[in-house]
Amino acid sequence: MADNNESVTREESMAKAYWRANLRLIVGCLIVWALVSYGFGLALRPMVAGISVGGTDLGFWFAQQGSILTFIALIFFYSWRMNKLDKKFDLHED
């Protein structure tokens, strides 16, 4: 009976570790997304206005294209990292 309780406790701790790592990854991605879309596109735009990208200032570029491209890159990054995380915790699909 004690062996069964150890197994359940180990599974619970692995599940908590998995979700903690997952949430850390999500929060990191959201911070990058917020920094790029709100930070460079809006709040920090005056600081990056002097830098020209494609004929327009960098703040405008981030607001119009950079945040979208960063979001797409974050989708691929999240998928790649989750696949690695799933393999680490032996939850991957075969």
Side-chain angles (χ1 to χ4, degrees):
M1 186 74 172
D3 191 35
N4 190 21
N5 288 339
E6 272 184 36
S7 176
V8 170
T9 304
R10 185 175 186 281
E11 287 177 9
E12 287 175 356
S13 67
M14 290 294 283
K16 285 181 182 179
Y18 174 77
W19 283 109
R20 192 173 21 253
N22 186 8
L23 288 176
R24 195 173 330 126
L25 177 61
I26 290 171
V27 168
C29 288
L30 286 174
I31 288 171
V32 169
W33 172 76
L35 179 66
V36 169
S37 62
Y38 293 115
F40 291 128
L42 299 173
L44 301 176
R45 185 170 180 197
M47 292 176 58
V48 295
I51 302 169
S52 180
V53 172
T56 187
D57 70 270
L58 186 61
F60 180 79
W61 184 85
F62 269 114
Q64 297 303 312
Q65 294 175 330
S67 60
I68 295 168
L69 295 175
T70 302
F71 183 70
I72 292 170
L74 283 173
I75 291 170
F76 285 104
F77 173 76
Y78 177 78
S79 176
W80 172 71
R81 288 293 297 157
M82 278 306 297
N83 284 335
K84 289 183 77 157
L85 194 63
D86 288 347
K87 287 179 184 175
K88 178 181 176 182
F89 286 93
D90 197 28
L91 297 171
H92 59 281
E93 297 175 4
D94 291 326

